[in-house]
Every structure is written in C-alpha cells, then in structure tokens.
Amino acid sequence: MKSFSKNDLYLIIAFLAVFALITVFLQLTGKEGTQVQVSVDAKVIATYPLSEDISVVIDGFGGGTNRLEIKGGSAYLTDTSCPDHLCEKMGKINSVGQSIICLPNRVVVEITGDCSSEYDAVVGG
Amino acid sequence: MDKTRRIALYGVLTALALIMSFVESQIPAFMAVPGMKLGLTNVVVLFALYADSEKGAIIINVARIIMVALLFGNAMSFSFSLAGGALSGLVMILLKRTKRFGITGVSTAGAVSHNIGQILVAMVVMNTSAIALYLPFLWASGIISGILIGIIGGIIASRISIN
C-alpha cells in the first residue's frame, strides 16, 4: 500500500491554499476593536473601553468567577474558578469579533467596534 | 475473520482509542486553542479503516466518542466530538473510496474536517459566529497533525496484519 502519493501532496497543498485564503480574509476584514463586551449567560452585563487598563472580577453563571484584565489594548481572562482554565489559555484578544469563552461560567468576552451595528449581537444561549 | 475474532478486535481497538483520548487530554500544549488536537485517536480509526473495514472504523469511532463522553466529558464535549468524529469519519471513508489518495491524504482531510465539524457545532451551541476566528489555527494544526498521524497510521497498517 502506498501511503503517500502525488495526489496526497496536491490535496495538502490545496488545504494550505485554503488556509492562506482564510487567514488573508480574516486579516483584511479584522478591525482593531475599541470596546470589550462581557456577557454572562447570553446577557451583556458590562462594556469596557479597550484603551483603559483595568482588572475586574466577572460573576459567571452558577457562582463561578473570572477575572478580566485589559492591558495595553488587549483583553484576557485570568483567575478562573473552573477546573480546566481553558479561557486563560485562549490568550489575548484585540480585533473586532474576537472572543474568549468560558463555557462552565457561561462567560463570553468579545471585542466590538465603536458602532455596535457593525457586529451581530450575541443572542440566545 | 469470524465474528468472535472481530468482536475481540473491535474491543481492543476501542480500548486503545480510549487510552489515546485520555493521553491526549493530558497534553496541555494542545489546549492553546480549544479543539486543537494531535489526533492520536485517529491512528486507531485509520488503522481500523485500512486494516479492517469502513464498518469497523465507524463502530470503533462511535463507541470511543460515547465512552469518552461518559468517562471524562459532558453533553457539551459529546456534541463537539460527535460532530467532529462524524464529519471526519465520513470524509475519510469517501476519500478512501475514490482510491486516488493514500492514507496521508485521507488522514489530513479527516483532521481538517474534524476541526470544521467542531467549529460548526461551537457556532450553534454558543450562538456566535466569532468562533470562526479560530478556524485558521485549527485548520493549520489539522493539516500538520493530519500528515503526521497519516504517516504513523500508514506505517502501522502496513506492518500489522489482523487476519
């Protein structure tokens, strides 16, 4: 059995090409955000400017907490109460539409632009 | 291969896939982006697909997903892995049927489609399209891990005979 043929190479090149297209598309459409919007259980509870360095505790669903840090124009989560700390590993965000999600606490932190109509609101949950 | 041998083989492979899932969940380096995985379990599924049958690959994959969800996961992780597993299983089987691609191409397509399936479910569950921004990371990691797993799967499938 041949495990690697020319067709495989073409397939992989095609995948890489699509990857490049997606990346370029997201780069071109991505705008630097100005606001950080925090929602818990699909309800927006707070909005912070991205330009101001802050550190606040978010009370999540079911008693869980996350600490939201905004520093140097980027937002990230630290000190999470849930066991997996996945949201901390999601890193820093600063472009419109980027988000950090903590599933256990139902916390969604999103970057939005000046005009809220630029981005679809998060509804339901 | 008679029925008894086949049942035993599927049992062993399902157990192996479970262990792979567990080992993978213990590697924090692949947690940087949710859904990013090495795809070790796919070695087992690929092996089943090439050394046994399409049916075998589907049975082992589904049994593995259900058991992983029962042992380590929840309803949410179950829906994620079921969507990823179903889509990648389907893509791998169809691609193998074309007989135009080797195990490496099949594995890569499986890995990428696995990540796409997960993103689609995440979009539905979280009700936000923002998750699509993870697509480039998952796409790239799918290509890399798919190639590696395909090469490993090819070596294993060519060296182990189950009949």
Side-chain angles (χ1 to χ4, degrees):
Chain A
M1 179 178 53
K2 211 173 173 200
S3 68
F4 196 91
S5 66
K6 224 173 204 170
N7 281 333
D8 291 317
L9 189 66
Y10 294 151
L11 185 70
I12 290 162
I13 290 170
F15 277 131
L16 286 172
V18 175
F19 165 71
L21 282 177
I22 297 170
T23 313
V24 168
F25 176 76
L26 288 177
Q27 281 292 327
L28 291 178
T29 54
K31 295 187 204 83
E32 197 98 321
T34 51
Q35 307 264 349
V36 180
Q37 181 180 296
V38 181
S39 338
V40 175
D41 204 15
K43 285 184 215 51
V44 176
I45 57 151
T47 311
Y48 304 101
L50 204 51
S51 52
E52 231 168 86
D53 290 1
I54 55 153
S55 173
V56 285
V57 173
I58 304 164
D59 292 312
F61 185 84
T65 58
N66 302 68
R67 179 176 287 277
L68 169 70
E69 302 257 8
I70 301 174
K71 207 181 261 178
S74 293
Y76 55 99
L77 292 178
T78 56
D79 287 339
T80 309
S81 61
C82 66
D84 56 9
H85 299 274
L86 261 184
C87 59
E88 295 173 21
K89 290 169 188 137
M90 287 171 143
K92 299 180 177 186
I93 54 172
N94 54 25
S95 303
V96 174
Q98 276 189 313
S99 63
I100 302 177
I101 292 146
C102 173
L103 275 182
N105 294 348
R106 301 197 191 170
V107 170
V108 178
V109 175
E110 274 185 292
I111 305 292
T112 56
D114 272 327
C115 181
S116 58
S117 64
E118 258 178 24
Y119 186 71
D120 300 338
V122 178
V123 288
Chain B
M1 189 161 38
D2 63 45
K3 210 176 169 187
T4 320
R5 276 196 64 153
R6 181 153 278 156
I7 291 170
L9 175 73
Y10 289 0
V12 169
L13 289 180
T14 306
L16 194 59
L18 270 179
I19 295 168
M20 295 295 196
S21 291
F22 177 72
V23 167
E24 197 160 274
S25 71
Q26 301 303 306
I27 307 175
F30 295 101
M31 306 279 266
V33 173
M36 198 183 264
K37 282 203 227 173
L38 191 52
L40 282 174
T41 19
N42 212 28
V43 172
V44 182
V45 177
L46 274 175
F47 176 74
L49 183 60
Y50 277 83
D52 186 61
S53 61
E54 291 176 1
K55 203 177 107 194
I58 295 170
I59 290 173
I60 290 159
N61 207 8
V62 171
R64 190 263 313 175
I65 289 166
I66 293 170
M67 281 190 237
V68 166
L70 288 173
L71 289 170
F72 318 114
N74 49 43
M76 190 77 86
S77 65
F78 176 68
S79 59
F80 278 88
S81 52
L82 193 63
L87 193 61
S88 83
L90 186 73
V91 166
M92 290 195 294
I93 286 171
L94 292 179
L95 220 55
K96 181 173 180 278
R97 276 194 191 176
T98 65
K99 294 193 164 64
R100 284 166 190 271
F101 301 99
I103 195 166
T104 314
V106 170
S107 164
T108 309
V112 171
S113 55
H114 185 273
N115 290 345
I116 292 173
Q118 287 193 318
I119 284 191
L120 289 177
V121 171
M123 280 174 151
V124 172
V125 170
M126 302 298 298
N127 224 327
T128 168
S129 55
I131 296 172
L133 286 161
Y134 290 124
L135 187 60
F137 299 103
L138 293 180
W139 193 284
S141 83
I143 295 173
I144 296 165
S145 64
I147 294 171
L148 291 175
I149 296 299
I151 292 169
I152 296 170
I155 295 170
I156 295 173
S158 66
R159 292 200 185 171
I160 299 177
S161 165
I162 52 170
N163 292 306

